[in-house]
Amino acid sequence: MFEAVREVLKYRNQFLDLLVGVPNYERYVEHMKECHPGEPIPSREQFFREAQDARYNAKGGKVSRCC
C-alpha cells in the first residue's frame, strides 16, 4: 500500500517539475553516471541554478515570451 502511494507521489512530482519547466535531477544523475562516469556531478542546488540560468538568461537576461 505505502509503496503504491510512494510511486504515485514520485510521478506526481515528476509531472509538476515538467509542468513548471524544471528538469528531473535524479534522471540527470543517472544519465551522468551511465554516459559520463568520470565527470563530477553537480549538487541539486547547482543543477537547479544552471537549469534556471539556461531557461531565463539564455538571451542576456531578456525574456522572449509574454509569460
Side-chain angles (χ1 to χ4, degrees):
M1 169 77 175
F2 290 115
E3 189 61 36
V5 171
R6 186 175 295 133
E7 192 72 15
V8 167
L9 290 176
K10 175 184 150 187
Y11 286 114
R12 182 200 67 138
N13 289 341
Q14 286 179 359
F15 170 76
L16 292 174
D17 286 346
L18 290 173
L19 186 66
V20 297
V22 177
N24 186 289
Y25 179 72
E26 287 78 18
R27 187 174 300 157
Y28 172 75
V29 170
E30 290 174 14
H31 167 78
M32 289 297 289
K33 287 180 179 178
E34 290 176 12
C35 300
H36 311 281
E39 295 183 27
I41 298 173
S43 69
R44 183 180 296 273
E45 290 79 20
Q46 290 171 322
F47 173 76
F48 179 75
R49 192 174 310 116
E50 289 174 9
Q52 292 298 310
D53 286 344
R55 181 178 176 132
Y56 294 111
N57 291 331
K59 297 181 180 179
K62 297 179 182 176
V63 177
S64 62
R65 56 190 177 278
C66 65
C67 48

